[in-house]
Amino acid sequence: MQRGIEFLGSEHAILCGAMSWVSERNLVSAISNAGGFGVIACGAMTPELLDAEIAATKALTGKPFGVNLITMHPGLFDLIGVCAKHKVGHVVLAGGIPPKGSVEAIKAFGAKVLVFAPTLALAKKLLRSGADALVIEGSEAGGHIGPVATSVLAQEFLPALAEDHVVFVAGGIGRGDMMASYLEMGASGVQLGTRFACATESIAHPDFKKAFFRANARDAVASVQVDPRLPVIPVRALKNKGTEEFTAKQVEVAKLLDEGKIEMGEAQLQIEHFWAGALRRAVIDGDVENGSLMAGQSVGMVTAEEPVAEIIATLMGECEAALSRR
């Protein structure tokens, strides 16, 4: 974990996954203050909103934290400019292949760039192209997911990359002994989201948290792709009316695409905006029936509200105990 600690500048190489509406100033600062590494979820924010969020987070913590930017955001380079203004130390590019010039624009102001890659070939290409670290995230994760399990990705990526590169493992991690296994395989650290979503410091609505406490692993299901011509990245969330509404939304957008009323880029943005709105309804308004309850399969291990510091202490204790038994 030492290489991950040095890379992040935190006490523990535990990243918090960027969860829209959840990973904001309160949770991010709490995670960084507790020795982890908080990451602001920019999501669909405007540059002005991101500017305010970074400033507010800096007012709550003097520890390092990062910003997660969605590569398909139409204002990506303006958002990078906001990160530059605040001298953000780490930027995570998520949701697709970074567009031309984006990695260079981030590195130009001295920040480190973290990327996601679904295949080993793409991971190698991104690292050659200037990315400083990689997050490999399996299908057990909450929110946007790929098709391959974390355990398989770890076996494929870590032997090939971990010796020369900083690699974080994510997806389905809920306990410290699992962290220990990935660290033994060569990972520099881990990323968790679901475990932190219901922390005491999380602003998520009490009903959102209660839905997590009630759920088990099989309740967190991946969304169905309705039309193969509309390449929608699957999303893992707790099954409810909202998941059914998303299927209907895909049908609606595919029809507009067929009729030539919108382009593919706009179609994908409409899907993203749907998710942002549905997630807000669940997280902020507490509408757990119609909103999106994005959760990873580790949700069954989230049974009570706990302070971030306790979650991190428990994870590190379990990790150290597991390693000492080896």
Side-chain angles (χ1 to χ4, degrees), residues 116-121 123 134-141 145-162 167-171 182 185:
F116 290 81
T119 66
L120 185 55
L134 182 72
V135 182
I136 55 174
E137 184 174 65
S139 59
E140 302 96 319
I145 55 167
V148 184
T150 308
S151 58
V152 175
L153 290 177
Q155 292 174 80
E156 184 183 1
F157 283 61
L158 291 174
L161 299 175
V167 183
F168 298 96
V169 177
Y182 291 130
M185 290 173 72

Side-chain angles (χ1 to χ4, degrees), residues 20-203:
S20 290
W21 303 109
V22 179
S23 299
E24 49 72 73
R25 63 191 73 172
N26 294 286
L27 184 61
V28 171
S29 61
I31 287 166
S32 290
N33 286 334
F37 191 85
V39 180
I40 293 172
C42 177
M45 281 184 197
T46 61
E48 293 74 21
L49 283 172
L50 179 63
D51 187 25
E53 200 58 45
I54 295 172
T57 306
K58 284 170 100 170
L60 295 170
T61 183
K63 303 283 183 72
F65 64 88
V67 174
N68 178 296
L69 302 178
I70 305 297
T71 55
M72 69 173 74
H73 195 298
L76 178 63
F77 284 87
D78 293 332
L79 296 168
I80 290 171
V82 172
C83 293
K85 173 190 164 185
H86 286 282
K87 297 183 171 59
V88 169
H90 299 72
V91 176
V92 184
L93 291 174
I97 297 168
K100 192 174 179 181
S102 57
V103 172
E104 293 81 353
I106 294 164
K107 290 176 79 78
F109 64 88
K112 298 270 196 276
V113 180
L114 293 85
V115 294
F116 290 81
T119 66
L120 185 55
L122 181 57
K124 288 178 177 177
K125 184 182 177 188
L126 290 170
L127 289 164
R128 279 197 309 270
S129 302
D132 298 292
L134 182 72
V135 182
I136 55 174
E137 184 174 65
S139 59
E140 302 96 319
H144 291 91
I145 55 167
V148 184
T150 308
S151 58
V152 175
L153 290 177
Q155 292 174 80
E156 184 183 1
F157 283 61
L158 291 174
L161 299 175
E163 195 173 328
D164 300 314
H165 301 283
V166 174
V167 183
F168 298 96
V169 177
I173 302 172
R175 287 180 52 88
D177 23 19
M178 198 72 222
M179 286 167 40
S181 298
Y182 291 130
L183 292 172
E184 278 192 322
M185 290 173 72
S188 297
V190 293
Q191 176 181 290
L192 291 83
T194 303
R195 194 80 172 76
F196 289 119
C198 296
T200 309
E201 296 89 344
S202 163
I203 62 158

Side-chain angles (χ1 to χ4, degrees), residues 11 37 45 48 52 68 71 80-81 137 210 244 262 264 266 272 291 306:
E11 192 181 334
F37 191 85
M45 281 184 197
E48 293 74 21
N68 178 296
T71 55
I80 290 171
E137 184 174 65
K210 283 175 192 165
E244 292 165 22
I262 54 171
M264 181 60 77
E266 171 61 22
E272 281 303 306
E306 298 173 271

